[in-house]
């Protein structure tokens, strides 16, 4: 069974099966003897792959990647919408049964193979190579609009260096052109007076002056704004500079990217809790609405927030861990990073709602009436409006806040950018890191220009929904099933035991083998059953744009299918049905080092013999394995 798989074995891979390493063109091969005669095995040519300068660089990079904008603006708003303090219960449960297991799985795949996500899938199952490209498409799309958000952050940061924040006062031209009432964000105790046409100066400045936003895109997107274009260019220059030497440069910068935001967050937290009315805002954030726990929407929101925050299933974690030393303790790191991510979300929630509680006190309205928008609106409307009402040095808090957003965003963007860099350098080892970094940044900048247009936010919403959410989630689901149900959870656990020299715990076995895969499918079914027409604010996305979004998803699934068919076709000489079995074998999987490859093969063969000696039925063995026996 270790060296050859039968047609039946092809569909019973959850266990200890692991087939022969077939020679690949360009690899060095040698012949060994086993019970069935001579067998050719592959010894891959050794490559000097870069590694982190220190294990702490990997940990700090993971923290900088996972602790990002999702913790600062998305988590507080999602929690507020879904039961306040009660939302923490489903969020922590989802973290335990989906987020943390997937984080550890991604770390294990990258470190064991020493390959980025595309090469990793090609090594594990060539037929599923398209899943790696699917993750690359999803994360690449996220990178294009993520950097555009960083451009807007830079725009606000530059405009914060003034004693009179530009969004704090009204511009009469806004009222004359659109027949609306502008309420200055700096006013203390004012309100919208119940007028449907009343808007804050913060919102008007964001939509009219920053975005120059269109209310519909039927007549086109418009041309890029030159100010936002320059900010976008600067954001990509910073990202390319951090990534220019791969992990050798990003690893050194990771300490600053991971730790500096906490300095500002704690400074803002101290200021927030000392503001009048802050206690009411914090209580509003943590006050539980237990009825919400009985609704499926809350659990779905917890899953999407977990994916958004941790960046699981997108390939970034695989990429980062591929530069680790083979014996690095990723078990510890997975627990540390996921725990810090959750605690950071809570820290941000207390800070943000403390500020919004003060804003509600100043306006004389309930906290729920202060929060009018989520996402980018919460970052670029609600927060600036709250800062504009500070009685002392509002410009300083504005600088600190947007500097914090910039650093958090760059930390996440460097990781997403690194997926493309690693995919290219893994495929073309002779390519220079600085060339790839500069080239991919230039492509990202050119694509990102679309988000600098007056209709750019419509496109951002479209790309985020179809590429950043659907494609990445589908890729994550396929990854979990390919690794845990096709390659086999027992195979994977044996790989982790060989690599880390310790047995995999029962918690990981049960979540990997049963809970996580089933939960992801249930969530995806719920997502499809509750799918509604995509909108941006109060405006519906045009039909043609929605069609384009679905075409992107279909094209992505088609390329996955293409690699499956192509791999089966390459094995056509074996005849049906053996060619299908051969196409879905982990024939090239194993450690990067040829020495470790030999050791791992002996380990796997020994484990195979031990399992055979138990003489258990297949089902009994699987059940006992999951509970650690």
């Amino acid at each position: 069974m270790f060296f050859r798989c039968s047609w039946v074995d092809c569909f019973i891979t959850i266990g200890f099966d692991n087939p022969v390493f077939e020679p690949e063109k360009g690899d060095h091969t040698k012949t060994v003897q086993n019970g069935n005669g001579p067998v050719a095995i592959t010894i891959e040519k050794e490559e000097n792959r870069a590694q982190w300068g220190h294990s702490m660089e990997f940990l700090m990079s993971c923290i900088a990647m996972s602790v990002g904008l999702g913790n600062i603006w998305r988590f507080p708003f999602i929690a507020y919408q879904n039961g306040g303090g009660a939302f923490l219960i489903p969020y922590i449960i989802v973290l335990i049964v989906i987020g943390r297991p997937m984080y550890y799985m991604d770390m294990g795949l990258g470190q064991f193979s020493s390959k980025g996500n595309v090469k990793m899938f090609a090594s594990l199952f060539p037929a599923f190579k398209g899943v790696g490209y699917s993750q690359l498409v999803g994360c690449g799309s996220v990178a294009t609009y993520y950097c555009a958000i960083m451009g807007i952050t830079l725009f606000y940061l530059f405009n914060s260096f003034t004693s009179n924040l530009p969004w704090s006062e009204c511009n009469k031209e806004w009222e004359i052109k659109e027949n609306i009432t502008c309420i200055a964000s700096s006013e203390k105790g004012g309100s919208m007076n119940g007028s449907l046409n009343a808007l804050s100066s913060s919102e008007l400045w964001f939509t009219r002056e920053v975005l120059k936003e269109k209310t519909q895109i039927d007549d086109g997107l418009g041309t890029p704004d030159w100010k936002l274009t320059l900010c976008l260019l600067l954001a990509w220059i910073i990202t390319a500079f951090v990534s220019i030497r791969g992990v050798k440069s990003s690893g050194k910068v990771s300490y600053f990217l991971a730790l500096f935001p906490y300095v500002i967050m704690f400074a803002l937290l101290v200021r927030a809790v000392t503001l009048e009315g802050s206690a009411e805002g914090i209580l509003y954030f943590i006050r539980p609405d237990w009825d919400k726990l009985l609704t499926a929407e809350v659990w779905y929101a917890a899953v999407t927030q977990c994916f958004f925050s941790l960046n699981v299933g997108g390939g970034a974690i695989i990429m980062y861990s591929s530069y680790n030393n083979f014996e690095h303790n990723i078990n510890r790191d997975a627990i540390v990073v996921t725990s810090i991510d959750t605690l950071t979300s809570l820290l941000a929630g207390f800070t943000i709602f403390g500020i919004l509680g003060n804003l509600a006190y100043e306006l004389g309205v309930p906290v729920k009436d202060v929060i009018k928008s989520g996402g980018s609106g919460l970052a670029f409307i609600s927060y600036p409006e709250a800062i504009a009402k500070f009685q002392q040095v509002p410009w300083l808090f504005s600088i600190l806040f947007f500097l914090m957003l910039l650093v958090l965003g760059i930390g996440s963007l460097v990781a997403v950018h690194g997926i493309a860099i690693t995919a290219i350098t893994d495929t073309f080892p002779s390519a220079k890191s600085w060339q790839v970094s500069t080239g991919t940044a230039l492509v990202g900048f050119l694509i990102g220009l679309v988000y600098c247009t007056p209709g750019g936010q419509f496109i951002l919403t479209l790309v985020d929904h179809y590429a950043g959410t659907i494609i990445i989630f589908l890729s994550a689901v396929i990854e979990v099933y390919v690794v845990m149900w096709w390659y086999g959870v027992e195979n994977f656990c044996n790989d982790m035991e060989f690599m880390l020299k310790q047995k995999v715990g029962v918690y990981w076995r049960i979540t990997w083998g049963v809970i996580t895969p089933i939960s992801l499918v249930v969530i995806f079914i719920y997502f499809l059953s509750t799918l509604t027409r995509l909108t941006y604010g109060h405006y519906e996305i045009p039909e043609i744009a929605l069609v384009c979004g679905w075409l992107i998803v279909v094209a992505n699934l088609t390329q996955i299918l293409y690699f499956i068919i192509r791999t089966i076709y390459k094995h056509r000489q074996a005849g049906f049905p053996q060619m299908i079995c051969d196409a879905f074998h982990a024939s090239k999987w194993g450690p990067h080092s040829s020495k470790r490859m030999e050791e791992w093969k002996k380990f796997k063969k020994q484990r195979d013999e031990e399992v055979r000696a138990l003489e258990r039925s297949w089902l009994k063995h699987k059940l006992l394995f999951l509970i650690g026996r």
Side-chain angles (χ1 to χ4, degrees), residues 347-368:
L347 173 65
F350 287 126
T351 303
I352 297 312
F353 275 83
I355 294 173
L356 294 179
N358 172 256
L359 180 58
Y361 172 81
E362 294 286 353
L363 292 174
V365 298
V367 178
K368 65 178 181 178

Side-chain angles (χ1 to χ4, degrees), residues 172-319:
K172 292 299 180 181
E173 292 183 3
W174 301 334
E175 298 180 316
I176 296 173
K177 288 181 179 180
E178 303 182 41
N179 191 27
I180 57 176
T181 301
C182 175
I183 305 297
S185 295
S186 58
E187 288 187 10
K188 312 293 192 299
S191 68
M192 298 305 177
N193 300 319
S195 173
L196 296 177
N197 292 327
L199 295 172
S200 69
S201 59
S202 295
E203 182 172 355
L204 288 168
W205 195 79
F206 177 59
T207 57
R208 286 12 176 222
E209 299 296 327
V210 180
L211 302 179
K212 297 180 172 58
E213 189 173 79
K214 302 178 68 173
T215 57
Q216 52 82 27
I217 56 173
D218 293 336
D219 58 344
L221 298 175
T223 58
D225 178 71
W226 70 270
K227 294 180 182 179
L228 287 182
T229 299
L230 290 178
C231 290
L232 174 67
L233 178 61
L234 179 58
W236 272 116
I237 289 175
I238 296 172
T239 303
F241 180 78
V242 174
S243 308
I244 200 162
R245 296 183 61 211
V247 294
K248 293 180 180 179
S249 58
S250 65
K252 301 297 184 294
V253 182
S254 65
Y255 291 95
F256 174 77
L257 296 177
L259 299 177
F260 177 73
Y262 286 99
V263 176
I264 299 180
M265 272 191 275
F266 278 110
L268 290 176
L269 176 64
V270 172
R271 175 56 181 159
V273 298
T274 57
L275 293 171
E276 288 186 279
S278 61
E280 186 61 30
I282 293 173
L283 286 175
Y284 188 84
F285 169 58
I286 63 175
R287 187 180 295 123
D289 182 358
W290 300 112
D291 293 337
K292 291 275 191 177
L293 290 179
L294 303 177
T295 61
E297 292 87 347
V298 173
W299 293 88
Y300 176 70
V303 173
T304 56
Q305 174 60 27
C306 188
F307 266 76
F308 191 91
S309 182
L310 291 176
N311 284 325
V312 292
I317 304 168
I318 296 175
M319 178 271 298

